[in-house]
Structures are given as structure tokens and as C-alpha cells.
Amino acid sequence: MEENKSAGLAKLRKDLKEMLVNDLSLEDINPEDIKDDEILFGEGLGLDSLDAVEIVVLLQRNFGIEVKDMNKGKEIFYSIDTLANHVYENTKGRT
């Protein structure tokens, strides 16, 4: 069971990095260059509030997850790890 969760989270991290790079048009950044625990906004990856809106849309379109509370969104969007954990916890049992 724990092994399945680890494999699922690893795939989610990879997919999320590819989505961010492709859908947010992050030039000069490769998905594999983004660290799992790297801060996504501000001094980290450098995403801004418009990118946060795009991430909300990406989560809804790709995973059927809605993030309506932006205070909670700040916690969810902190890093690839936090984002992947949120997606995993809110999609398990759907596949």
C-alpha cells in the first residue's frame, strides 16, 4: 500500500512539473530542474498570482479538484511536494 502511494506521488510530481513548465510557459526551465521541495512562488521558482490562477484551472481541468480558498491554496501551492500530496489525497480511489 505504501509502495503504491510512493509510486503514485512520484508520477504526480513528474506530471505536475511538466504541466507547470508547459502550461505556464516557463521558458528556460526543464521539468526535471524543479526540485520536489522548491518553493514555487516568490524567490523560489518565481511564480506569481496569475500563475496561481492558472494552477487552479490546471487542477480543475486535469484532476477535477477545485481550490476555492486561496489561503488554503497558499499551503497547497507551496511546492511540488505539497501540490502532489493534495492531488493524491483528493483523487485516490477515482482510478
Side-chain angles (χ1 to χ4, degrees), residues 15-80:
D15 291 348
L16 288 166
K17 289 175 186 179
E18 289 174 358
M19 275 185 236
L20 292 182
V21 169
N22 294 327
D23 293 346
L24 302 181
S25 301
L26 301 178
E27 298 176 5
D28 302 325
I29 297 176
N30 294 314
E32 57 272 8
D33 294 338
I34 302 172
K35 296 175 185 162
D36 293 343
D37 61 349
E38 184 173 359
I39 298 170
L40 297 179
F41 290 86
E43 293 181 22
L45 193 57
L47 301 183
D48 59 24
S49 59
L50 292 177
D51 295 320
V53 173
E54 286 290 325
I55 294 172
V56 168
V57 173
L58 286 173
L59 291 179
Q60 187 170 19
R61 186 174 62 214
N62 293 294
F63 303 104
I65 297 172
E66 292 188 24
V67 178
K68 294 180 180 177
D69 180 352
M70 287 314 289
N71 287 325
K72 184 74 174 166
K74 288 179 183 176
E75 296 172 18
I76 297 167
F77 301 163
Y78 182 76
S79 68
I80 289 294

